[in-house]
């Protein structure tokens, strides 16, 4: 029997199994001078040269000394869509799921990084959901098949998400060594992290090209798992 839960799980597996080729390359990297903290500015394009919104970039301190501000996030349901479609949080942070519609939603995930459900509800659920493991989480709604969203959980507070023009900036970085990585829900292949070193006032400016799948985004209707 194909259940929605199985469909969603299959979708998550589907995303992983479609890995092919090299996902990203640094085209250029230049440093300049700015304020007291370091920053990484990134411009992301796809294989066709188009700007890529909703890509997650993150820099994890190699020292293991990781601040834990654990900024909470919110993913609303508005007009039967999750808003925003992509959210990034640090491991251990919580997310609220306010329902702004008059219809009830039933939010759930069966992803290994976070399995949960908030049964049929309107308004704000009494408790936020804590995302306590790193990784990608696919969200669905048990009532509305075309509702889906992604949460990416990272072991660092130093992250950003590209805007509609494919640009993102991680600011307020301390000096030191980091593993720098990028993630996108439609990426054809997982990209390995790259080591970078930042001086205290350094600003890195980087262009990254990633390969995106052009089909199979969203809930996989095959339910193969
Ligand atoms: Cu719904």
């Amino acid at each position: 029997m194909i259940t929605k839960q199985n469909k969603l799980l299959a979708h998550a597996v589907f995303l992983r199994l479609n890995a092919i080729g090299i996902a990203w390359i640094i085209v250029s990297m230049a440093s300049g001078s700015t304020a007291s903290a370091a920053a990484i500015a990134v411009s992301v394009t796809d294989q066709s040269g188009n700007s890529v919104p909703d890509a997650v970039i993150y820099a994890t301190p190699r020292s293991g000394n990781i601040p834990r501000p654990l900024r909470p996030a919110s993913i609303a349901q508005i007009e039967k869509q999750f808003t925003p479609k992509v959210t990034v949080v640090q491991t251990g942070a919580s997310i609220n799921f306010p329902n702004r519609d008059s219809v009830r939603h039933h939010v759930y995930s069966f992803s290994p990084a976070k399995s949960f459900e908030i049964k049929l509800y309107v308004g704000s659920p009494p408790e936020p959901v804590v995302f306590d493991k790193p990784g990608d989480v696919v969200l669905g709604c048990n009532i509305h098949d075309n509702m889906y969203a992604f949460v990416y959980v990272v072991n660092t507070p130093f992250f950003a998400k590209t805007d509609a023009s494919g640009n993102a900036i991680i600011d307020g970085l301390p000096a030191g060594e980091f593993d720098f990585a990028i993630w996108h829900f439609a990426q054809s292949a997982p990209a390995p992290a790259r080591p970078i070193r930042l001086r205290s006032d350094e600003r890195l400016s980087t262009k990254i090209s990633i390969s995106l799948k052009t089909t199979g985004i969203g809930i996989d209707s095959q339910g193969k798992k």
Side-chain angles (χ1 to χ4, degrees):
M1 186 173 67
I2 297 174
T3 65
K4 282 180 185 156
Q5 287 86 347
N6 283 342
K7 277 194 207 172
L8 202 60
L9 186 57
H11 171 65
V13 172
F14 179 75
L15 280 180
R16 289 199 180 81
L17 293 184
N18 271 270
I20 51 162
I22 294 173
W24 66 296
I25 51 170
I26 290 184
V27 175
S28 70
M29 183 175 281
S31 62
S33 63
T34 50
S36 53
I40 304 172
V42 174
S43 178
V44 182
T45 53
D46 67 11
Q47 62 269 39
S48 301
N50 299 315
S51 298
V52 176
D54 286 331
V56 174
I57 57 169
Y58 58 107
T60 308
R62 302 193 89 187
S63 65
N65 182 16
I66 297 171
R68 286 171 59 84
L70 300 185
R71 292 185 295 272
S74 180
I75 302 173
Q77 296 111 60
I78 301 171
E79 296 180 350
K80 299 180 185 176
Q81 295 294 326
F82 287 110
T83 306
K85 191 68 81 185
V86 174
T87 299
V88 51
V89 292
Q90 184 175 8
T91 309
S94 59
I95 299 181
N96 279 300
F97 291 90
N99 178 1
R100 310 281 190 222
D101 290 335
S102 54
V103 299
R104 294 190 296 175
H105 296 295
H106 183 143
V107 178
Y108 72 98
S109 159
F110 283 82
S111 298
K114 187 64 187 180
S115 175
F116 72 97
E117 66 177 335
I118 308 172
K119 293 179 179 174
L120 285 168
Y121 71 101
V122 292
S124 284
E127 299 285 337
V129 178
V130 176
F131 287 74
D132 46 12
K133 281 185 237 164
D136 58 309
V137 177
V138 188
L139 304 176
C141 173
N142 220 14
I143 308 302
H144 306 102
D145 277 347
N146 62 343
M147 287 179 66
Y148 65 92
F150 301 90
V151 177
Y152 198 59
V153 187
V154 294
N155 281 329
T156 175
F158 306 116
F159 57 76
K161 188 178 76 171
T162 56
D163 60 17
S165 301
N167 298 315
I169 296 176
I170 307 174
D171 214 337
L173 287 154
E177 295 185 343
F178 299 84
D179 286 319
F180 178 73
I182 185 169
W183 176 88
H184 190 279
F185 64 86
Q187 208 164 357
S188 298
R194 283 177 174 247
I196 59 170
R197 176 177 295 175
L198 293 171
R199 298 188 305 273
S200 61
D201 62 347
E202 191 167 14
R203 180 185 176 88
L204 293 181
S205 184
T206 303
K207 292 180 180 177
I208 299 175
S209 174
I210 60 175
S211 182
L212 298 183
K213 293 186 296 156
T214 54
T215 59
I217 310 304
I219 305 298
D220 179 12
S221 61
Q222 299 304 306
K224 296 193 185 76
K225 179 76 177 177

